[in-house]
Amino acid sequence: MTVALDLAPATEAEVADILADCHARRTPLRILGGGTRVENRVPGETLTLSRLSGVVTYSPGEMTLIARPGTPLPEIEQMLEAEGQALAFEPPDMRGILGRNGTPTLGGTVAANASGPRRLLAGACRDHLLGVRFVDGRGRVLKNGGRVMKNVTGLDLSKLLAGSHGTLAVLTEVVLKTLPLLPARTTLAFPDVTEATALRIFTTALSTPYEVSGAAHVGGAAYLRIEGLDSQLAYRRDRLLALLAEHRPEVMDDAPWQAIRDAAHFAGTDPLWRILCKPTEAPGLCDGLRAMGGDCSLDWGGGLIWYRGPGNPRDLAAHATLVRRGGVSGPAFPPLAPAVARLQDGLRRSFDPAGILNPGLMDG
C-alpha cells in the first residue's frame, strides 16, 4: 500500500521521503519555489518548497549566509541590508515580465543561477555559492562544499546545481558568500546611441581599472554604472568622463538599474527571449533580430540580449532561451551540442536515474 505524501514538505527528511517514493513509483515531479523564474509546464505532481524556509545561520563578520530554499528573497535582502551587506550578484525579479504574483525564493534564485547587471564585476550567483545540501532523485540526502571558502575542496557540485533548474536535485540548504553593500553609485548615460556605439563605449570602459558594475543599452541609450566609496567614485567618474568625452556622457544619480535588472521595459505578453552571446556579436545579432520585427536591449556589456517579438532567435543565435512564451510552442531551452547533450544525460542518470525531477524542462 502506498502512503500519500504531503508535497509541501517542511523538512529535509520529508523531501527525501517524497523523492524516494516518487523514484520507486517513477512518478514525475514539478519542482516549485516561488514560481517566479520560469514557465514550468512539465508534467507531474507539484513539489513546492515554500514551507522549507528560514535562515539557518547568518554571520555578518564572516560574510556567510546559510538558508533554506523556500526563504523569500526579499527577506534575505532586507536582512543583509540591515547589516550593510548584499548579495553581490544582484538577482533579478522576473515577476513583471512573467506576470506572476508569487514571491521569489533563495532556492529558485540559486537553481536558476539568476544574476543581474553586476555580474560584470562580481560574477554570477554560482560564483558566490560556497556549499549546498540537497536530495537527489533517489531520495538520498547529500551535501557538498563548506561554510567558508577555504573549506570548499574537491568536486564542487554546488556550481553544477546552480543553473540546473531543479533537474538534478532538490536543494534543501544553500551557503552563500555575502559582500559589503556599496554605499554610493552613479551612472554615465549616453543618449541616442546604436548598439555598435554602445559596444565601443562598453569595451573602452570595461578595459579600464575603474570597476564598472553595469553596462547596458536600453531604449536607444547606453548606461555605465560605477559603485563604491564617495572618494573613489568621484575619481573613477571623472576619469571615465574624460576617456569617453567624444560620446557626450551625462551623469545620472538615479538611473533605471532596477528596471534594467528586471527587464521591466519588456513587460507584457509578447514572446520574450534571453540570448547569451559574445559581446562583439551583439550589434549584428540585434540588427538581425530587429529585422524579424521585434525590439532588443543589451546587458552585461553586450553579453546578454533581451529580445521581444516574433520569429525564432535560434535561427541567429545558439543560446536563446524562451523566457515568456506568448503563444510560442516548442522547448524553452536551446538545443545542446551533441557532446554537451551526452554529458548532460550522463549527469541526469547519475543524479536522477528515474527521470522524475522536472522532466523535459531543460531539453532543447
Side-chain angles (χ1 to χ4, degrees), residues 125-163:
C125 172
R126 63 164 49 97
D127 298 313
H128 299 267
L129 192 59
L130 298 178
V132 290
R133 288 179 65 94
F134 60 94
V135 181
D136 72 2
R138 294 183 176 92
R140 299 180 300 180
V141 177
L142 304 165
K143 65 179 181 178
N144 181 253
R147 299 196 173 199
V148 293
M149 184 64 73
K150 66 180 181 181
N151 291 340
V152 180
T153 59
L155 183 61
D156 194 352
L157 297 180
S158 60
K159 302 294 191 293
L160 185 65
L161 297 181

Side-chain angles (χ1 to χ4, degrees), residues 313-343:
R314 290 175 188 154
D315 294 336
L316 301 175
H319 299 286
T321 299
L322 183 57
V323 175
R324 185 177 64 215
R325 288 188 174 275
V328 175
S329 59
F333 287 82
L336 300 174
V340 178
R342 287 193 297 272
L343 178 61

Side-chain angles (χ1 to χ4, degrees), residues 56-348:
V56 178
T57 303
Y58 173 43
S59 303
E62 296 179 358
M63 294 191 292
T64 303
L65 167 72
I66 305 173
R68 300 183 182 94
T71 310
L73 187 61
E75 290 184 14
I76 294 289
E77 292 174 327
Q78 290 169 13
M79 181 187 69
L80 296 178
E81 185 176 357
E83 296 291 340
Q85 296 185 0
L87 296 174
F89 50 90
E90 199 175 5
D93 186 340
M94 309 296 287
R95 288 177 290 185
I97 59 175
L98 292 179
R100 304 291 175 81
N101 56 10
T103 301
T105 63
L106 187 63
T109 298
V110 173
N113 191 36
S115 312
R118 202 176 291 118
R119 187 184 190 277
L120 274 176
L121 181 64
C125 172
R126 63 164 49 97
D127 298 313
H128 299 267
L129 192 59
L130 298 178
V132 290
R133 288 179 65 94
F134 60 94
V135 181
D136 72 2
R138 294 183 176 92
R140 299 180 300 180
V141 177
L142 304 165
K143 65 179 181 178
N144 181 253
R147 299 196 173 199
V148 293
M149 184 64 73
K150 66 180 181 181
N151 291 340
V152 180
T153 59
L155 183 61
D156 194 352
L157 297 180
S158 60
K159 302 294 191 293
L160 185 65
L161 297 181
S164 67
H165 290 277
T167 60
L168 297 178
V170 175
L171 296 169
T172 58
E173 190 175 283
V174 300
V175 186
L176 281 166
K177 176 177 59 175
T178 64
L179 288 179
L181 184 64
L182 298 172
R185 60 193 53 82
T186 195
T187 297
L188 306 188
F190 304 81
D192 300 321
V193 297
T194 64
E195 285 93 355
T197 301
L199 183 65
R200 290 196 292 272
I201 292 169
F202 298 159
T203 301
T204 300
L206 293 171
S207 65
T208 70
Y210 304 136
E211 296 184 342
V212 172
S213 68
H217 181 268
V218 178
Y223 300 94
L224 294 175
R225 181 180 62 185
I226 50 177
E227 301 173 287
L229 301 175
D230 287 327
S231 58
Q232 298 172 328
L233 205 65
Y235 171 78
R236 287 188 275 144
R237 178 200 62 208
D238 292 344
R239 296 293 292 177
L240 286 170
L241 284 171
L243 186 64
L244 298 166
E246 65 178 293
H247 299 289
R248 299 179 181 177
E250 301 174 0
V251 178
M252 298 178 64
D253 291 324
D254 189 25
W257 284 104
Q258 181 173 323
I260 292 171
R261 180 198 72 181
D262 301 339
H265 47 285
F266 285 150
T269 59
D270 295 335
L272 180 64
W273 298 78
R274 182 177 183 270
I275 303 166
L276 303 181
C277 65
K278 295 178 181 177
T280 52
E281 297 174 352
L285 284 174
C286 287
D287 289 342
L289 291 167
R290 271 194 299 273
M292 292 183 179
D295 302 313
C296 301
S297 69
L298 302 180
D299 201 351
W300 300 356
L304 170 62
I305 299 174
W306 289 99
Y307 170 70
R308 178 184 62 185
N312 188 347
R314 290 175 188 154
D315 294 336
L316 301 175
H319 299 286
T321 299
L322 183 57
V323 175
R324 185 177 64 215
R325 288 188 174 275
V328 175
S329 59
F333 287 82
L336 300 174
V340 178
R342 287 193 297 272
L343 178 61
Q344 178 176 276
D345 290 343
L347 287 170
R348 287 182 178 173

